Amino acid sequence: MNAVTLAGLAGAALIGMGLFGLVTHSHILRKIVAFNVIGSGVFLLFGAVARRGAASGLNADPVPQALVITGIVVAFSATALAVALLLRYFKEVGSPFLADDPGAGASQPDHERP
Amino acid sequence: MTLSFGFDLSLAVLTLAVAGYAIGARESFASVVAFISYGVLLALVWVRLSAVDVALTEAAIGSGVTGALLIGAAAKVGEGAVDAPRSVRGAGRLLTALFCIATTLGIATAFLSLPEKAPTLAPLAAEHLPSTGLGNPVTAVLLSYRAIDTLLESVVLVFAVVGVWTFASDRDWGGRPESPGKDRPEQPLTFLGQILPPLGILVGVHLVWTGATEPGGAFQGGTVLAAAWILVMAAGLRKPPSIEGAWLRFALIGGPALFLGVGVAGFALAKAFLAYPEGHSKAFILVIEAALTFSIAIALGLLALGAPGRKGHP
């Protein structure tokens, strides 16, 4: 067991924890945070897998590092988009929660076809 | 058990514990604060993996700018009403937990059963490093070998800004995003807003300049510049820009446009898209990085500010 193996296992644990938060929370912001935890877990796992390929006098393989840097920036862009969507949803609906389930609106009359 | 392994183990446990708190905290504000601390701890893990470039990016973007964005959102939406739909409870929660544990175990097993000899492109990257005139192989990958990825990435940032702006109401279009700070900022914040930005600009430019040979680069430097800009606005020293400003839009697309221009010029100068003329790679890369840094700083700042709102209407 060394730092690399430890980081890989931590990455796996982070993915599981993030997945749990994403599914169980109904507050949208909590879902966004959980999704980011999954994302960073995936990056960490990837980094740990890539670290095994470190060779030729370099400390670490530069190709996967560049990929992760790109990934972090794109993940931030996606998060910014998600937050903007949340804020607009909050402005329209007045609540940071998603509706419980699609069946919850069943009491309202459906638009019937003529 | 050696000392360094003890350190790695405690760091991993601490990182997981803070991440667990970010997931399980009762309030969304506490969750966001935990997420920011988690990002900083994760950056330390990246340092331990000898990936200092990634560590800088994670600390600056993954923790810093994302944190600023999430804190702002948490302050605006709050915790929600008491009669809100409950999160998943009871048997469903248990089932979800079991499924997530299974996912983790599956990934961990796959990770542990990887073949001993890992495939790598590192020797190839090291071999051609002198031809780029750079000393940092990560920068060489980002701006020379795989420059097209970085070009597309910078375009993604522009699209994200456009996407965020589309969430503005019709009547707010052309206005300013809300200021990230309070209407009347406290004096210490104003003080910091005056003291820190010059330092931030210095650190940002330094990160880009040393990125050629040492860890650092356009994205890390650009983030520090964006942070300085956000601080100035949060301290109330400058208003957020109107999204209709022509200079703002030029600054936003300037970096990617120059990058694309150099890429097309590569057809004439070096017979391929995004190829640099022999012996002049470093000069080209530095010019691209300088323009890119500025555009990245503008894009990140705008993403953190969000869509234009009524409060900030001129």
Side-chain angles (χ1 to χ4, degrees), chain A residues 1-92 94-101, chain B residues 5 8-9 12 15-16 19-28 31-32 35 38 42 45-46 48-54 57-58 61-62 65-66 69-70 73-74 76-81 84-88 93 96-97 99-100 103-104 107-108 111-112 114-123 125-126 137-138 141-142 149-150 153 156-157 160 163-164 166-169 171-172 219-220 300 303-304 308-310:
Chain A
M1 189 82 116
N2 54 22
V4 179
T5 317
L6 211 54
L9 295 180
L14 287 172
I15 296 171
M17 282 157 67
L19 197 60
F20 181 74
L22 181 68
V23 174
T24 54
H25 283 298
S26 56
H27 195 295
I28 302 175
L29 190 63
R30 304 298 299 272
K31 279 187 190 288
I32 297 176
V33 169
F35 198 76
N36 270 293
V37 172
I38 301 183
S40 50
V42 171
F43 293 146
L44 189 59
L45 184 71
F46 181 58
V49 173
R51 181 71 180 84
R52 296 161 55 256
S56 56
L58 301 172
N59 274 330
D61 196 336
V63 182
Q65 281 194 61
L67 285 174
V68 171
I69 290 175
T70 307
I72 291 175
V73 175
V74 174
F76 168 71
S77 306
T79 307
L81 213 55
V83 166
L85 198 55
L86 160 66
L87 291 178
R88 185 64 201 267
Y89 177 83
F90 182 72
K91 209 169 160 188
E92 301 292 326
S95 153
F97 296 97
L98 284 176
D100 219 354
D101 63 297
Chain B
F5 181 71
D8 286 331
L9 189 65
T15 309
L16 289 179
Y21 187 71
I23 300 289
R26 198 171 282 270
E27 294 178 344
S28 56
S31 159
V32 170
F35 179 76
Y38 156 73
L42 198 62
V45 177
W46 280 112
R48 292 295 300 158
L49 289 177
S50 314
V52 183
D53 286 275
V54 180
T57 314
E58 172 62 36
I61 300 181
V65 189
T66 308
L69 179 76
L70 292 175
K76 276 179 197 141
V77 301
E79 306 300 330
R86 303 307 310 163
S87 49
V88 179
R93 198 178 178 85
T96 312
F99 173 74
C100 294
T103 307
T104 293
I107 295 172
F111 174 70
L112 290 175
L114 285 170
E116 200 51 49
K117 195 171 171 354
T120 175
L121 289 171
V138 179
V141 174
L142 279 173
D149 291 352
T150 310
E153 178 186 12
V156 163
L157 279 176
V164 166
T166 58
F167 292 124
S169 324
R171 60 162 189 273
D172 295 333
F219 285 96
Q220 295 90 336
L300 292 177
L303 286 176
R310 203 156 39 141

Side-chain angles (χ1 to χ4, degrees), chain B residues 15-241:
Chain B
T15 309
L16 289 179
V18 175
Y21 187 71
I23 300 289
R26 198 171 282 270
E27 294 178 344
S28 56
F29 198 81
S31 159
V32 170
V33 172
F35 179 76
I36 297 171
S37 334
Y38 156 73
V40 177
L41 288 168
L42 198 62
L44 286 180
V45 177
W46 280 112
V47 174
R48 292 295 300 158
L49 289 177
S50 314
V52 183
D53 286 275
V54 180
L56 282 172
T57 314
E58 172 62 36
I61 300 181
S63 169
V65 189
T66 308
L69 179 76
L70 292 175
I71 282 231
K76 276 179 197 141
V77 301
E79 306 300 330
V82 198
D83 61 340
R86 303 307 310 163
S87 49
V88 179
R89 296 243 177 268
R93 198 178 178 85
L94 193 69
L95 211 63
T96 312
L98 287 177
F99 173 74
C100 294
I101 291 169
T103 307
T104 293
L105 289 180
I107 295 172
T109 314
F111 174 70
L112 290 175
S113 58
L114 285 170
E116 200 51 49
K117 195 171 171 354
T120 175
L121 289 171
L124 218 57
E127 188 187 328
H128 294 281
L129 198 56
S131 73
T132 62
L134 299 170
N136 180 357
V138 179
T139 304
V141 174
L142 279 173
L143 284 155
S144 184
Y145 309 143
R146 295 294 304 167
I148 187 145
D149 291 352
T150 310
L151 171 64
L152 293 176
E153 178 186 12
S154 62
V155 175
V156 163
L157 279 176
V158 175
F159 278 138
V161 171
V162 173
V164 166
W165 282 358
T166 58
F167 292 124
S169 324
D170 279 352
R171 60 162 189 273
D172 295 333
W173 182 254
R176 299 166 187 272
E178 272 180 39
S179 167
K182 296 178 184 168
D183 287 338
R184 309 185 72 192
E186 289 101 354
Q187 281 187 334
L189 185 60
T190 314
F191 178 68
L192 287 177
Q194 286 164 333
I195 291 289
L196 288 181
L199 211 63
I201 291 170
L202 215 62
V203 172
V205 172
H206 173 78
L207 274 175
V208 181
W209 180 250
T210 57
T213 48
E214 304 284 332
F219 285 96
Q220 295 90 336
T223 314
V224 176
L225 293 183
W229 188 33
I230 295 170
L231 180 63
V232 166
M233 291 186 288
L237 297 169
R238 285 280 183 279
K239 274 199 282 188

Side-chain angles (χ1 to χ4, degrees), chain B residues 213-282:
Chain B
T213 48
E214 304 284 332
F219 285 96
Q220 295 90 336
T223 314
V224 176
L225 293 183
W229 188 33
I230 295 170
L231 180 63
V232 166
M233 291 186 288
L237 297 169
R238 285 280 183 279
K239 274 199 282 188
S242 160
I243 65 161
E244 281 196 323
W247 71 266
L248 184 78
R249 295 187 180 186
F250 274 119
L252 182 63
I253 62 163
L258 182 87
F259 203 163
L260 194 63
V262 172
V264 173
F267 282 123
L269 297 171
K271 297 194 182 70
F273 183 61
L274 278 174
Y276 309 124
E278 195 95 16
H280 298 284
S281 299
K282 189 171 179 183

